[in-house]
Amino acid sequence: MDIMTSRYEDWQNRLEKHVDFNICESMVAAFTEEELLAIDPEGAAALRQTGAHELLNYGWIEGSAEFKQGVAGLYQSEVAPDRILQTNGGTGANFNAMYALIEPGDHVIVESPAYEPLEVLARQFGAEVELWRLREEHAWQPDIGELRQMVRPDTKLIVLVNASNPLGVVLETPLLEEIADIARSVGAYVLCDEAFRPFDESVNYTSMIDVYEKAIVTCTLSKAYAVPGIRIGWVVADDEIAGRVRRLRDYTMVSCGVPNDALGVYVLRNREGILKRNCEIVMRNLEIADAWIAGQPRVSWQKPRGVTTGFMRLDIPEDDVSFCKRLAAERKTLLIPGGCFDLPCGARLGYCAHEQILRRGLDELAAALAEFD
């Protein structure tokens, strides 16, 4: 299969190791192992003791019982262990879930702009894809009336990203309930990538798994939990789709490994402390970024609601790809151009790096923008 290159993944892969100020990442500033284990010294000691004597075999093929218990605790509704399948990050979760569900000729509706591989995979697996557009003039919120018009009796799947990457927009509970009603009317599944949970407590946020009986949820410890290096994600689905994913995993990954599962369990057990640290970073840095944008005549955005990324409009006499390439080469500062998301004249800002990195990156970006004055 000759699959399309993921534009923004390719952009990051080529440039991120050659810059000093990475202000495009979609995760909260990653933990060091020392910092992570300091959150729960007693639990860390037990983890080390167990790890010293644990066999480095395949471990629990679809995730340990402790891991599944931790994941189940994230949702309001009761989720049976057999419906939870561990994957290699959110990337593996999305690939396995979509490959298990989509067949050639299926009608699939995909939220756009969003996480590009979701649209690409649907097309590669032979689906007839229609894009449900998020519109800037509506504060990047989708029009539920458009979805009602798009859905058909043969619609197989509606794909969402909540919260949105790259826009930082949250689809709140009442809208999710309307989406569920529309999907229910034709028996469609709803796949919701929930890697980017919002940290703003005023947001009316609910997992799709708690809203709709035919929801498929994908998630990861990479973004809101700030541990992308352990490559742990999961799929939650009904019995039928979970069974398909279970069989498919034998061909795509087998297991995530004993140490990674153990660290994943540790993170889920200590999620309150981890999310408290990450919430402080997100909300503080969001105010720094928002204040910076307010002082920049060439930059504007729809302020994200406690999510790790936002999309900036750039009023510059240069295309965004060329500008961001120069910014990386000349000022060692990395943004992702909007062109990578079919959003020209802008860039994705990942403002949840460590504060000093964010401030220095914004200083360099301000200097680059000032060259146009």
Side-chain angles (χ1 to χ4, degrees), residues 341-356:
F341 303 94
D342 294 323
L343 290 169
C345 305
R348 185 179 87 177
L349 175 66
Y351 55 84
C352 295
H354 289 292
E355 183 177 338
Q356 65 272 25

mmCIF file of all heavy atoms in Angstrom, residues 341-356:
data_model
loop_
_atom_site.group_PDB
_atom_site.id
_atom_site.type_symbol
_atom_site.label_atom_id
_atom_site.label_comp_id
_atom_site.label_asym_id
_atom_site.label_seq_id
_atom_site.Cartn_x
_atom_site.Cartn_y
_atom_site.Cartn_z
ATOM 1 N N PHE A 341 -2.204 21.461 7.446
ATOM 2 C CA PHE A 341 -3.564 21.095 7.867
ATOM 3 C C PHE A 341 -4.619 21.634 6.900
ATOM 4 O O PHE A 341 -5.800 21.697 7.239
ATOM 5 C CB PHE A 341 -3.856 21.666 9.262
ATOM 6 C CG PHE A 341 -2.889 21.233 10.332
ATOM 7 C CD1 PHE A 341 -1.793 22.013 10.654
ATOM 8 C CD2 PHE A 341 -3.081 20.045 11.015
ATOM 9 C CE1 PHE A 341 -0.900 21.621 11.645
ATOM 10 C CE2 PHE A 341 -2.202 19.648 12.007
ATOM 11 C CZ PHE A 341 -1.103 20.433 12.318
ATOM 12 N N ASP A 342 -4.189 22.044 5.698
ATOM 13 C CA ASP A 342 -5.083 22.709 4.744
ATOM 14 C C ASP A 342 -5.672 23.978 5.346
ATOM 15 O O ASP A 342 -6.823 24.341 5.099
ATOM 16 C CB ASP A 342 -6.201 21.771 4.279
ATOM 17 C CG ASP A 342 -5.656 20.603 3.457
ATOM 18 O OD1 ASP A 342 -4.700 20.829 2.691
ATOM 19 O OD2 ASP A 342 -6.170 19.483 3.593
ATOM 20 N N LEU A 343 -4.865 24.678 6.137
ATOM 21 C CA LEU A 343 -5.235 25.955 6.745
ATOM 22 C C LEU A 343 -4.156 26.979 6.408
ATOM 23 O O LEU A 343 -3.330 27.338 7.259
ATOM 24 C CB LEU A 343 -5.361 25.815 8.266
ATOM 25 C CG LEU A 343 -6.543 25.018 8.806
ATOM 26 C CD1 LEU A 343 -6.363 24.757 10.301
ATOM 27 C CD2 LEU A 343 -7.846 25.777 8.565
ATOM 28 N N PRO A 344 -4.100 27.450 5.180
ATOM 29 C CA PRO A 344 -3.037 28.387 4.801
ATOM 30 C C PRO A 344 -3.131 29.701 5.575
ATOM 31 O O PRO A 344 -4.164 30.024 6.145
ATOM 32 C CB PRO A 344 -3.282 28.600 3.302
ATOM 33 C CG PRO A 344 -4.720 28.257 3.098
ATOM 34 C CD PRO A 344 -5.031 27.175 4.081
ATOM 35 N N CYS A 345 -2.013 30.422 5.585
ATOM 36 C CA CYS A 345 -1.916 31.727 6.258
ATOM 37 C C CYS A 345 -2.006 31.589 7.777
ATOM 38 O O CYS A 345 -2.675 32.375 8.451
ATOM 39 C CB CYS A 345 -2.987 32.703 5.771
ATOM 40 S SG CYS A 345 -2.998 32.933 3.986
ATOM 41 N N GLY A 346 -1.352 30.578 8.304
ATOM 42 C CA GLY A 346 -1.378 30.403 9.747
ATOM 43 C C GLY A 346 -0.379 29.358 10.189
ATOM 44 O O GLY A 346 0.430 28.864 9.402
ATOM 45 N N ALA A 347 -0.442 29.010 11.480
ATOM 46 C CA ALA A 347 0.465 28.008 12.035
ATOM 47 C C ALA A 347 -0.120 27.441 13.316
ATOM 48 O O ALA A 347 -0.879 28.119 14.021
ATOM 49 C CB ALA A 347 1.836 28.621 12.323
ATOM 50 N N ARG A 348 0.249 26.178 13.612
ATOM 51 C CA ARG A 348 -0.124 25.589 14.892
ATOM 52 C C ARG A 348 0.900 25.981 15.938
ATOM 53 O O ARG A 348 2.105 25.790 15.748
ATOM 54 C CB ARG A 348 -0.183 24.061 14.802
ATOM 55 C CG ARG A 348 -0.693 23.428 16.103
ATOM 56 C CD ARG A 348 -0.786 21.920 16.027
ATOM 57 N NE ARG A 348 0.466 21.271 16.374
ATOM 58 C CZ ARG A 348 0.634 19.945 16.441
ATOM 59 N NH1 ARG A 348 -0.391 19.144 16.166
ATOM 60 N NH2 ARG A 348 1.791 19.413 16.757
ATOM 61 N N LEU A 349 0.397 26.545 17.031
ATOM 62 C CA LEU A 349 1.235 26.855 18.187
ATOM 63 C C LEU A 349 0.978 25.799 19.258
ATOM 64 O O LEU A 349 -0.153 25.626 19.710
ATOM 65 C CB LEU A 349 0.894 28.249 18.732
ATOM 66 C CG LEU A 349 1.627 28.650 20.026
ATOM 67 C CD1 LEU A 349 3.118 28.797 19.782
ATOM 68 C CD2 LEU A 349 1.038 29.944 20.592
ATOM 69 N N GLY A 350 2.031 25.113 19.664
ATOM 70 C CA GLY A 350 1.954 24.211 20.813
ATOM 71 C C GLY A 350 2.570 24.942 21.991
ATOM 72 O O GLY A 350 3.792 24.979 22.137
ATOM 73 N N TYR A 351 1.738 25.528 22.815
ATOM 74 C CA TYR A 351 2.219 26.467 23.837
ATOM 75 C C TYR A 351 2.499 25.807 25.182
ATOM 76 O O TYR A 351 2.723 26.494 26.176
ATOM 77 C CB TYR A 351 1.196 27.606 24.024
ATOM 78 C CG TYR A 351 -0.205 27.141 24.342
ATOM 79 C CD1 TYR A 351 -0.590 26.837 25.642
ATOM 80 C CD2 TYR A 351 -1.139 26.988 23.323
ATOM 81 C CE1 TYR A 351 -1.864 26.390 25.918
ATOM 82 C CE2 TYR A 351 -2.420 26.537 23.597
ATOM 83 C CZ TYR A 351 -2.770 26.242 24.902
ATOM 84 O OH TYR A 351 -4.038 25.783 25.178
ATOM 85 N N CYS A 352 2.514 24.476 25.236
ATOM 86 C CA CYS A 352 2.644 23.790 26.522
ATOM 87 C C CYS A 352 4.023 23.200 26.758
ATOM 88 O O CYS A 352 4.196 22.253 27.522
ATOM 89 C CB CYS A 352 1.570 22.719 26.645
ATOM 90 S SG CYS A 352 -0.083 23.448 26.692
ATOM 91 N N ALA A 353 5.025 23.791 26.095
ATOM 92 C CA ALA A 353 6.408 23.464 26.412
ATOM 93 C C ALA A 353 6.750 24.039 27.786
ATOM 94 O O ALA A 353 5.935 24.741 28.401
ATOM 95 C CB ALA A 353 7.333 24.058 25.348
ATOM 96 N N HIS A 354 7.947 23.754 28.274
ATOM 97 C CA HIS A 354 8.385 24.410 29.494
ATOM 98 C C HIS A 354 8.373 25.923 29.257
ATOM 99 O O HIS A 354 8.676 26.404 28.157
ATOM 100 C CB HIS A 354 9.772 23.928 29.892
ATOM 101 C CG HIS A 354 9.771 22.510 30.397
ATOM 102 N ND1 HIS A 354 9.171 22.142 31.584
ATOM 103 C CD2 HIS A 354 10.279 21.368 29.858
ATOM 104 C CE1 HIS A 354 9.310 20.842 31.763
ATOM 105 N NE2 HIS A 354 9.976 20.343 30.731
ATOM 106 N N GLU A 355 8.046 26.674 30.284
ATOM 107 C CA GLU A 355 7.772 28.108 30.122
ATOM 108 C C GLU A 355 8.928 28.849 29.455
ATOM 109 O O GLU A 355 8.701 29.717 28.600
ATOM 110 C CB GLU A 355 7.466 28.728 31.492
ATOM 111 C CG GLU A 355 7.098 30.202 31.404
ATOM 112 C CD GLU A 355 6.730 30.800 32.754
ATOM 113 O OE1 GLU A 355 6.359 30.031 33.670
ATOM 114 O OE2 GLU A 355 6.809 32.045 32.883
ATOM 115 N N GLN A 356 10.164 28.549 29.832
ATOM 116 C CA GLN A 356 11.290 29.288 29.254
ATOM 117 C C GLN A 356 11.429 29.028 27.758
ATOM 118 O O GLN A 356 11.815 29.921 26.991
ATOM 119 C CB GLN A 356 12.597 28.959 29.984
ATOM 120 C CG GLN A 356 13.083 27.521 29.865
ATOM 121 C CD GLN A 356 12.507 26.608 30.932
ATOM 122 O OE1 GLN A 356 11.432 26.876 31.480
ATOM 123 N NE2 GLN A 356 13.231 25.528 31.237
#
